[in-house]
């Protein structure tokens, strides 16, 4: 048998030929390839390990930056029912801007006419819809006069609350007191909260590379230490802080006007974050998160993990589905320099409680009873009282009842505005009241404290339903199409600004 002929490196010589030589060469090639693969995999493993360690370290650092605050003892035990969680259902997150003058990056703003302690000059309730298709940012004016607990360290019942200025709640008991006051006045459950100070705000703006802003006039506000000429500008963190803090030297000097500027700026932030593809730039994202977390105070359950889950759930929402609204207000009579929430605010809070888009029609409730009606409309005398604040609503209901055979129907105006529809009766007229209530789905039926005789009294308040057909109606003439709604046309005063709107609009 011919011996293998090897070259000077001890490997088979390809010039020698022969099947054994070629087989040996293939084996050697495979061995080299395996060695290179092992070295490559080892290198990849090291890199992967370093990346994982880096990611874990970054996560721990960012998560460790956040100041945790347990407010469970301040929010009371009589809280509203939770509206959802991270995985499903609507979410309500309270965002608070603190005007603290202490700490790194905050001490340069001086005291001026600032009172000791922290105040929450910016309060925004962020509502994320249950279907994760829209976000509503509700700004609460700092000068609002609302009932609030005097001491947020206890469970003082609401009948012991006293009216004071909204931004005093933060000074009284921090975010826990703000949450308790908000929940007590709106019946909206707050899932999480986040507090950011001046320094954190500036850092986030700088991490985005600046944020565009637009002003139709020159601004010179010594108290905010800020000047800006009219037109479009890209503001860095320091300038942006001055812009959103400016108040008394611009327009009418009101907090409402400042809120409009803040909303326009936040819309620009949303546009900037989208345009710069923040989530696709690890360097910018880490700078942004680092700036945010280093100046954040949150509840213990609201860490980077839940924040990531929320971000994932809303990543499909475009800026056109993010809207900013302000709680409707009116003058607070005892102090005309302050405001109080207007009746229209009830519509705003109701839309958030029911996770309904602002301005969308309310679902028509269904009758609650399936028992057959025993009294026909022609045997019933009805009085419809208008307590909705909508002129002509009672007469509209009268027309829809008469078409169905209710022969004796009259209308009148109530003394004030109430909510919903109520059907009252006296004596043995409960069955007649059931027939009338069938025309007003969802109405409350109760025995009256007054003697109504043979008459059934219907009181229509805000949110009361349109008249529907009763099962034992008489005649076949269709019901007239309603032209009035039980909710006053106040929603026009709840003006929404979309994040996609031009910043100069």
């Amino acid at each position: 048998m011919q011996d293998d002929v090897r070259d000077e490196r001890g490997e088979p010589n390809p010039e020698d030929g022969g099947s054994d030589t070629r087989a040996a060469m293939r084996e050697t090639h495979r061995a080299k390839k395996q060695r290179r693969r092992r070295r490559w995999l080892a290198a990849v493993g090291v890199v992967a390990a370093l990346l994982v360690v880096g990611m874990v370290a970054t996560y721990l650092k960012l998560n460790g930056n956040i100041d945790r605050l347990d407010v469970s003892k301040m929010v009371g035990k009589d809280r509203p029912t939770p509206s959802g969680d991270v995985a499903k259902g609507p979410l309500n997150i309270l965002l608070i801007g603190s005007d603290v003058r202490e700490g790194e990056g905050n001490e340069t703003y001086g005291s001026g006419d600032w009172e000791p302690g922290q105040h929450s000059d910016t309060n925004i309730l962020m509502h994320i819809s249950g279907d994760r298709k829209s976000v509503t940012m509700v700004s609460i004016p700092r000068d609002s006069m609302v009932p609030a607990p005097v001491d947020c360290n206890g469970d003082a019942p609401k009948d012991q609350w006293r009216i004071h200025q909204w931004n005093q709640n933060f000074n009284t008991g921090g975010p826990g007191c703000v949450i308790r006051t908000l929940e007590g006045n709106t019946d909206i459950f707050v899932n999480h909260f986040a507090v950011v100070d001046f320094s954190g705000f500036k850092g986030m703006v700088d991490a985005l590379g600046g944020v565009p802003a637009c002003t139709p006039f020159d601004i010179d506000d010594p108290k905010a230490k800020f000047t800006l000429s009219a037109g479009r500008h890209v503001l860095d963190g320091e300038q942006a802080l001055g812009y959103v803090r400016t108040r008394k030297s611009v327009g009418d000097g009101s907090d409402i006007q400042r809120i409009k500027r803040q909303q326009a700026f936040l819309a620009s932030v949303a546009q900037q974050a989208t345009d710069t593809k923040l989530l696709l730039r690890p360097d910018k994202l880490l700078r942004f998160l680092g700036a945010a977390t280093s100046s954040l105070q949150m509840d213990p359950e609201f860490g980077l993990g839940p924040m990531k889950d929320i971000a994932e759930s809303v990543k499909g929402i475009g800026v056109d589905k993010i809207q900013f609204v302000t709680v409707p207000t009116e003058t607070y009579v005892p102090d005309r320099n302050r405001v109080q929430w207007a009746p229209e605010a009830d519509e705003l809070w109701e839309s958030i409680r029911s996770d309904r888009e602002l301005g969308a029609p309310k679902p028509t409730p269904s009758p609650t009873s399936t028992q057959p009606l025993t009294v026909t409309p022609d045997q019933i005398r009805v009085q419809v009282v208008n307590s909705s604040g909508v002129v002509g609503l009672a007469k509209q209901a009268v027309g829809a009842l008469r078409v169905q055979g209710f022969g004796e129907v009259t209308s009148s105006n109530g003394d004030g505005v109430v909510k919903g529809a109520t059907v009252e009766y006296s004596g043995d007229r409960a069955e007649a009241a059931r027939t009338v209530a069938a025309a007003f789905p969802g109405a409350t039926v109760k025995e009256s404290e007054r003697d109504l005789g043979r008459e059934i009294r219907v009181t229509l308040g805000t949110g009361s339903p349109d008249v529907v057909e009763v099962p034992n109606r008489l005649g076949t003439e269709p019901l007239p199409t309603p032209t009035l709604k039980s909710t006053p046309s106040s929603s026009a005063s709840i003006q929404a600004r979309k994040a996609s709107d031009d910043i100069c609009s």
Side-chain angles (χ1 to χ4, degrees):
M1 179 180 295
Q2 184 178 2
D3 293 335
D4 281 347
V5 179
R6 297 178 178 271
D7 63 13
E8 58 185 7
R9 293 173 298 180
E11 297 185 1
N13 189 340
E15 296 179 357
D16 182 65
S19 59
D20 292 341
T21 301
R22 288 191 294 273
M25 291 178 64
R26 286 195 295 271
E27 183 64 28
T28 300
H29 180 70
R30 279 196 296 269
K32 285 184 174 182
K33 189 174 182 180
Q34 288 176 353
R35 286 196 298 271
R36 286 195 299 268
R37 179 177 175 81
R38 284 195 294 270
R39 287 195 297 268
W40 182 80
L41 288 175
V44 170
V46 171
V47 172
L50 289 173
L51 285 175
V52 170
V53 170
M55 290 172 63
V56 172
T58 300
Y59 175 88
L60 293 175
K61 178 180 182 300
L62 293 176
N63 208 46
N65 285 345
I66 301 173
D67 180 22
R68 302 295 178 186
L69 180 63
D70 184 359
V71 299
S72 57
K73 294 183 179 179
M74 289 188 172
V75 294
K77 299 178 181 179
D78 54 346
R79 303 184 67 189
T81 302
S83 57
D85 52 38
V86 172
K88 57 184 177 180
L91 279 171
N92 299 309
I93 302 173
L94 181 61
L95 308 176
I96 300 174
S98 167
D99 67 351
V100 62
R101 306 302 208 270
E102 301 170 352
E104 184 178 355
N106 298 317
E107 69 283 348
T108 59
Y109 294 96
S111 58
D113 57 359
W114 171 73
E115 299 175 14
Q118 298 185 50
H119 298 73
S120 55
D121 282 358
T122 301
N123 301 263
I124 298 175
L125 180 66
M126 179 170 66
H127 174 75
I128 303 174
S129 65
D131 59 11
R132 299 301 190 264
K133 292 183 178 180
S134 64
V135 175
T136 300
M137 311 279 279
V138 183
S139 295
I140 304 172
R142 50 156 277 172
D143 295 333
S144 301
M145 303 300 290
V146 296
V150 178
D151 182 0
C152 280
N153 292 318
D155 293 324
K158 295 175 186 175
D159 60 3
Q160 296 180 12
W161 288 15
R162 298 291 181 266
I163 294 178
H164 66 211
Q165 189 168 311
W166 178 268
N167 72 336
Q168 289 291 334
N169 292 309
F170 195 73
N171 190 304
T172 300
C177 196
V178 181
I179 292 172
R180 180 154 173 73
T181 303
L182 178 62
E183 291 184 342
N185 282 280
T186 66
D187 201 30
I188 293 173
F189 183 84
V190 176
N191 299 87
H192 298 293
F193 74 86
V195 181
V196 64
D197 62 20
F198 290 163
S199 178
F201 177 85
K202 291 187 297 182
M204 286 186 282
V205 172
D206 286 335
L208 289 173
V211 174
C214 180
T215 174
F217 38 69
D218 295 340
I219 298 177
D220 185 3
D221 193 324
K223 289 191 175 182
K225 298 183 178 181
F226 180 68
T227 59
L228 188 70
S229 61
R232 288 178 177 262
H233 303 270
V234 176
L235 307 182
D236 61 21
E238 188 72 33
Q239 293 172 316
L241 181 61
Y243 179 74
V244 298
R245 292 181 63 218
T246 293
R247 178 164 68 104
K248 294 184 178 180
S249 63
V250 178
D252 60 7
S254 69
D255 186 49
I256 304 298
Q257 290 293 320
R258 177 167 63 178
I259 284 176
K260 291 181 179 181
R261 287 191 296 277
Q262 290 176 346
Q263 291 175 342
F265 186 81
L266 289 175
S268 185
V269 169
Q271 295 175 17
Q272 184 74 354
T274 303
D275 293 343
T276 58
K277 296 181 175 57
L278 177 65
L279 296 178
L280 301 180
R281 287 283 304 273
D283 56 335
K284 284 196 172 187
L285 181 59
L286 287 177
R287 283 186 62 202
F288 184 82
L289 291 177
T293 57
S294 63
S295 300
L296 273 184
Q297 186 178 61
M298 294 179 168
D299 56 276
E301 291 77 29
F302 196 27
L304 287 183
M307 289 171 67
K308 175 180 175 295
D309 292 337
I310 293 174
E312 283 290 327
S313 70
V314 300
K315 65 182 180 182
I317 298 178
V319 290
D320 61 323
K321 295 300 181 181
I322 302 174
Q323 63 176 351
F324 300 88
V325 298
T326 304
V327 177
T329 59
E330 60 189 15
T331 301
Y332 180 62
V333 177
D335 182 352
R336 302 190 69 82
N337 292 318
R338 302 291 180 263
V339 296
Q340 64 186 14
W341 294 351
E344 295 89 341
D346 291 340
E347 180 185 352
L348 173 61
W349 301 133
E350 190 279 330
S351 69
I352 292 177
R353 284 194 302 268
S354 60
D355 194 27
R356 176 177 56 85
E357 186 177 351
L358 186 63
K362 300 178 183 178
T364 302
S366 301
T368 56
S369 175
T370 58
Q371 295 292 325
L373 302 177
T374 59
V375 182
T376 57
D378 59 333
Q379 302 177 55
I380 304 173
R381 180 187 302 169
V382 183
Q383 182 188 29
V384 183
V385 180
N386 186 359
S387 292
S388 68
V390 180
V391 178
L393 189 69
K395 290 184 178 180
Q396 176 176 269
V398 167
L401 291 174
R402 286 177 176 168
V403 165
Q404 303 184 65
F406 291 90
E408 296 184 65
V409 189
T410 58
S411 64
S412 62
N413 292 319
D415 295 331
V417 176
V418 299
K419 293 182 179 180
T422 303
V423 177
E424 297 177 273
Y425 67 93
S426 296
D428 61 354
R429 302 297 290 166
E431 285 300 300
R434 281 208 311 119
T435 299
V436 176
F440 300 91
T444 299
V445 181
K446 66 178 184 179
E447 186 171 1
S448 177
E449 297 177 355
R450 296 177 295 173
D451 184 8
L452 300 178
R454 308 296 295 172
E455 188 175 75
I456 305 300
R457 181 184 176 97
V458 180
T459 301
L460 300 180
T462 60
S464 57
D466 295 329
V467 174
V468 300
E469 290 190 346
V470 297
N472 60 348
R473 66 159 292 175
L474 304 177
T476 59
E477 183 181 349
L479 272 63
T481 301
T483 58
L484 301 173
K485 293 297 181 183
S486 57
T487 301
S489 57
S490 59
S491 58
S493 65
I494 308 177
Q495 299 179 354
R497 177 190 183 93
K498 290 186 177 180
S500 57
D501 290 348
D502 187 279
I503 61 174
C504 289
S505 62

